[in-house]
Amino acid sequence: MRILIIEDDIGLNKSIVENLAQFGYQSDSSENFKDGEYFIGIRHYDLVLASWTLADGDGAELIRLVKQKSPRTPVIIISSKADKDNEIKALKLGADDFIKKPFDFDIFLARIEARLRLGGTNVIKIEDLTIDPDEEKITYKGQDIELKGKPFEVLTHLARHSDQIVSKEQLLDAIWEEPELVTPNVIEVAINQIRQKMDKPLNISTIETVRRRGYRFCFPKKS
């Protein structure tokens, strides 16, 4: 499970990241609207935690961005503005919950878990191919495929963006925690593993190389 935190209180932001990590959640964090918008654009999140007020933007626009890209992704607004009007406005705009600061972390975590249970399925199903990101599991015509780790994440990201050509740089930013510390050839290695462990044995094609531009998910082949 990956969670995005957009909170300009640096101490609170760090505390949320550290506490979520203790319960096995991966998270990205931003201290401003601009960086939060960037993360929303490049990655899929199971849940977004966003401050209602930020120096360079607001929670209302963040709700719109998240729901426009992925309507099923839950958005929880956290706010020091504890008045009824703001809470009603956030919920009407599409927020799934509204939590007032300061909050008890145990209750906060329980509300996150509740929203994740209600957030809908992340399973990608295309004809006979099923990709389950939560279980890190792939099946094709009922047969389990042994593809784990980064190759699995690369395949999943490309499948979620099947109408797009995705560059190596975009894949690095979306999947690797510190993309600046790895070289782009790790993408080629991941793609090769997908083809060797999945495409070749099953006699299918899932990833198309688009010269000088990147990769595109191509299952099933368009006629």
Side-chain angles (χ1 to χ4, degrees), residues 54 62 106 121 127 158 201:
L54 296 161
L62 288 170
D106 290 335
T121 181
E127 294 195 353
L158 290 170

Side-chain angles (χ1 to χ4, degrees), residues 5-45:
I5 300 130
I6 308 169
E7 169 57 59
D8 55 4
D9 181 326
I10 297 172
L12 178 59
N13 191 317
K14 184 179 179 182
S15 176
I16 292 172
V17 170
E18 291 174 349
N19 277 286
L20 288 176
Q22 291 181 20
F23 290 89
Y25 292 105
Q26 289 184 308
S27 59
D28 293 320
S29 68
S30 164
E31 295 165 8
N32 56 65
F33 180 95
K34 184 179 179 182
D35 289 346
E37 182 181 24
Y38 170 76
F39 279 122
I40 290 166
I42 67 165
R43 287 184 176 162
H44 172 83
Y45 291 97

Side-chain angles (χ1 to χ4, degrees), residues 168-195:
K168 287 183 179 179
E169 291 75 19
Q170 288 171 323
L171 284 167
L172 286 171
D173 282 344
I175 296 168
W176 272 260
E177 294 295 330
E178 297 180 296
E180 68 278 2
L181 300 181
V182 296
T183 58
N185 71 337
V186 297
I187 302 296
E188 296 174 16
V189 172
I191 296 292
N192 185 58
Q193 288 189 43
I194 293 168
R195 289 171 174 161

